[in-house]
Amino acid sequence: MKFNIMNKIFAAAVLNLVIIIFFTGCDSRKEANNEVKDIHSKEHDHDKEGGAHESEVALSEEQIRLMSIEVSGIGPQNINGYIKVNGEIMMNQDNESKAGSIIPGRVKKIYVKEGSFVRAGQTLAVIENPDLINVQVEYINAKNEFEFTKQEYNRQQKLNNDNIGSKKNLAEIESNYKRALANYKTLEEKLTSYKISKDRFDNIYTDTVADLQRNYSVTAPISGNVISRMISIGQYVEPSTDMFHIVNTSTVFVDLNIFEKDLPHIKVGQKVIIEAGSNPGKTYEGNVSFINRVFDDKNRTVKVRVTINNKSQELYPFMFITAKIYVSDENVLAVPISAVESEGENKYIFVKTNERRKTDTHAEHSEDEHKDGEEHNEGEEGIVFKKYQINTGISDDKFIEIFPVEELKEGTEAVTKGTFYLKSEMMKEELGEHEH
């Protein structure tokens, strides 16, 4: 009996001990979890605070004075300005030609070299082809046949009108006459295309000087410079062979790449001033003559063509240029050109806000200070400058149109001088945050 009582007392003691250990462990785990949550919360708050400051910097009045920072209000400006774009000089296809022979043959003579200036109609080369003799002989025979059938037809018509001739004979003679006329006119056109004058055959039976033409002359279809000669003497050429490439660059095209945001400002007839790297300081004037209706999805641009007078021959096809397209007067949201900064393909401005916060003074600290957790010293209260990303539009010599990515209130002031120092201070703050 005593043994059973002792066993029950021992079991109850063991049970109480297990319960105490269980609840103690739960409390420990709870405290550990709370500590982890506190750490994550602090890290989140720090990241949040750092993210808020990564695009801004606070400067004291003294710093602003020393950095010579100046600001100007953001607001509507009347800009009789231009859009600055890049482009490439192209050949005017109406002033470009490939010259060749319309008959096969062997090159007998070449009269021009690459780089030569030629005038329209000037002989470039001579092609020799024995078939030219055959064409001229066929023409002479066709002409004789035509004249004979014409006389016979006229005679038969007169007889028929006098009721002497046969209508059957008249119909047959008329058919022969029309056939001879068609053959004669066909060969006459062929002579013209071969550049053989039919007048040379007028006295062929009485003039011993009259002779048949044995060569075909390749002539320049336009005036211009021979930029390429693709044949040599003795070479056999076909009608499909390009023998000379002639280009007249007295007028050239300039193809400009216009971004989507600038397209609404572009109209046919607008004045364009271009400048080429080969002749710095000299400008050439033209007008927008064509706006492409197809969008280049790869480059996100639209091609705009400008016609330029190039009688000075200083502009060469495929040369890269810069251009200013002058647009009409417009009231647009604008800032001074000096306010706009670039970072890769992105553009931005610094804006002076009404916010104030403590300035940060970054310095080297002793090991004891780091152990105590003192990472930086807080300075005096300063004015906050924020960085705003923008897109740009038209401009003149002073102002440039802006399209803020984030909303900007009218009257907000943008930094126009001292942006370099603001960028430097912002980089210091970012580096300071990373060190934490």
Side-chain angles (χ1 to χ4, degrees):
M1 185 69 179
K2 288 181 180 180
F3 179 75
N4 289 336
I5 292 172
M6 290 297 294
N7 283 342
K8 290 179 180 180
I9 293 171
F10 179 75
V14 171
L15 180 61
N16 288 332
L17 181 60
V18 170
I19 291 171
I20 291 169
I21 293 172
F22 175 77
F23 281 107
T24 302
C26 287
D27 291 338
S28 299
R29 284 194 298 273
K30 187 175 181 180
E31 289 178 5
N33 287 336
N34 287 337
E35 288 179 4
V36 171
K37 288 179 180 178
D38 289 341
I39 291 171
H40 284 305
S41 178
K42 289 177 181 178
E43 289 178 350
H44 177 72
D45 291 341
H46 180 269
D47 291 341
K48 187 175 180 181
E49 182 181 357
H53 291 168
E54 64 182 6
S55 295
E56 64 181 50
V57 63
L59 298 178
S60 66
E61 296 286 353
E62 180 65 14
Q63 287 176 307
I64 293 173
R65 186 183 64 80
L66 291 173
M67 295 176 185
S68 300
I69 291 176
E70 296 179 6
V71 296
S72 177
I74 301 174
Q77 292 289 340
N78 183 263
I79 297 181
N80 182 12
Y82 54 81
I83 297 170
K84 194 170 184 178
V85 295
N86 297 321
E88 184 180 7
I89 296 174
M90 306 297 293
M91 285 185 285
N92 183 342
Q93 293 175 329
D94 293 334
N95 292 337
E96 179 183 11
S97 177
K98 301 282 182 68
S101 173
I102 64 170
I103 64 170
R106 199 165 297 280
V107 179
K108 184 177 182 181
K109 289 183 180 179
I110 301 174
Y111 294 103
V112 296
K113 300 177 180 179
E114 287 187 2
S116 300
F117 178 82
V118 295
R119 299 193 178 277
Q122 180 178 333
T123 300
L124 307 177
V126 171
I127 304 296
E128 191 175 40
N129 187 337
D131 288 342
L132 285 175
I133 301 294
N134 298 333
V135 171
Q136 293 169 85
V137 170
E138 288 175 5
Y139 169 78
I140 293 169
N141 292 335
K143 182 181 180 182
N144 291 335
E145 179 70 16
F146 163 71
E147 290 176 348
F148 172 77
T149 56
K150 182 179 180 181
Q151 291 175 0
E152 186 65 20
Y153 175 64
N154 290 336
R155 188 180 70 82
Q156 192 64 36
Q157 265 191 326
K158 184 177 181 182
L159 291 173
N160 193 64
N161 290 336
D162 295 338
N163 294 320
I164 299 174
S166 168
K167 291 185 178 180
K168 181 179 180 182
N169 288 340
L170 177 62
E172 185 178 348
I173 291 172
E174 182 180 8
S175 176
N176 291 337
Y177 164 69
K178 289 182 178 179
R179 184 167 51 251
L181 175 62
N183 189 38
Y184 167 64
K185 289 296 181 183
T186 299
L187 288 167
E188 188 178 57
E189 289 295 326
K190 203 168 187 180
L191 283 185
T192 302
S193 66
Y194 286 175
K195 301 172 185 174
I196 300 174
S197 174
K198 62 180 182 179
D199 296 338
R200 69 187 301 137
F201 308 118
D202 290 344
N203 302 316
I204 193 168
Y205 298 112
T206 59
D207 188 356
T208 56
V209 179
D211 195 6
L212 299 180
Q213 182 173 319
R214 290 173 172 78
N215 301 321
Y216 171 78
S217 297
V218 179
T219 57
I222 63 171
S223 298
N225 292 94
V226 179
I227 65 170
S228 182
R229 191 189 91 176
M230 294 84 83
I231 58 165
S232 56
I233 292 177
Q235 180 180 342
Y236 188 84
V237 296
E238 295 285 352
S240 59
T241 304
D242 289 330
M243 300 170 63
F244 302 93
H245 187 186
I246 303 171
V247 173
N248 187 329
T249 56
S250 58
T251 62
V252 292
F253 290 147
V254 176
D255 286 347
L256 305 176
N257 300 314
I258 309 299
F259 288 105
E260 192 174 359
K261 65 181 178 62
D262 295 327
L263 193 57
H265 302 292
I266 308 300
K267 297 178 179 63
V268 172
Q270 287 173 328
K271 184 177 78 171
V272 180
I273 299 295
I274 74 164
E275 187 173 344
S278 61
N279 201 350
K282 184 166 184 180
T283 59
Y284 308 84
E285 184 175 330
N287 298 93
V288 175
S289 58
F290 167 73
I291 301 174
N292 204 331
R293 297 301 173 188
V294 180
F295 190 76
D296 185 343
D297 187 56
K298 181 179 179 182
N299 298 317
R300 309 301 300 170
T301 58
V302 171
K303 183 176 75 175
V304 169
R305 176 160 286 175
V306 179
T307 303
I308 299 288
N309 186 316
N310 187 39
K311 288 185 178 179
S312 64
Q313 301 291 312
E314 294 173 339
L315 299 176
Y316 295 86
F318 310 114
M319 182 183 287
F320 290 106
I321 56 90
T322 57
K324 295 176 181 178
I325 305 176
Y326 286 83
V327 298
S328 58
D329 289 357
E330 290 191 54
N331 279 319
V332 295
L333 186 67
V335 296
I337 293 175
S338 60
V340 179
E341 293 288 339
S342 297
E343 194 173 83
E345 295 183 357
N346 298 323
K347 295 182 179 179
Y348 61 91
I349 59 173
F350 287 104
V351 169
K352 180 183 178 182
T353 71
N354 294 324
E355 301 175 22
R356 303 182 74 89
R357 68 174 171 84
K358 293 290 185 181
T359 60
D360 288 337
T361 304
H362 299 279
E364 295 183 359
H365 306 289
S366 65
E367 293 183 3
D368 293 337
E369 287 177 326
H370 282 295
K371 288 178 182 179
D372 293 338
E374 294 178 1
E375 296 283 337
H376 65 277
N377 298 325
E378 288 191 350
E380 61 181 300
E381 193 174 65
I383 298 172
V384 175
F385 292 84
K386 288 188 177 181
K387 179 180 174 183
Y388 280 84
Q389 187 176 341
I390 60 166
N391 293 315
T392 57
I394 61 174
S395 66
D396 57 18
D397 294 332
K398 294 181 179 179
F399 293 92
I400 184 167
E401 181 183 14
I402 63 168
F403 303 93
V405 175
E406 300 177 45
E407 184 179 359
L408 272 178
K409 294 181 180 179
E410 191 175 310
T412 303
E413 293 181 315
V415 177
T416 58
K417 185 179 178 183
T419 54
F420 173 79
Y421 298 106
L422 285 175
K423 286 191 290 185
S424 300
E425 289 298 316
M426 189 170 291
M427 289 179 63
K428 289 179 184 178
E429 288 212 355
E430 289 177 358
L431 290 172
E433 289 170 3
H434 290 315
E435 288 174 359
H436 295 332

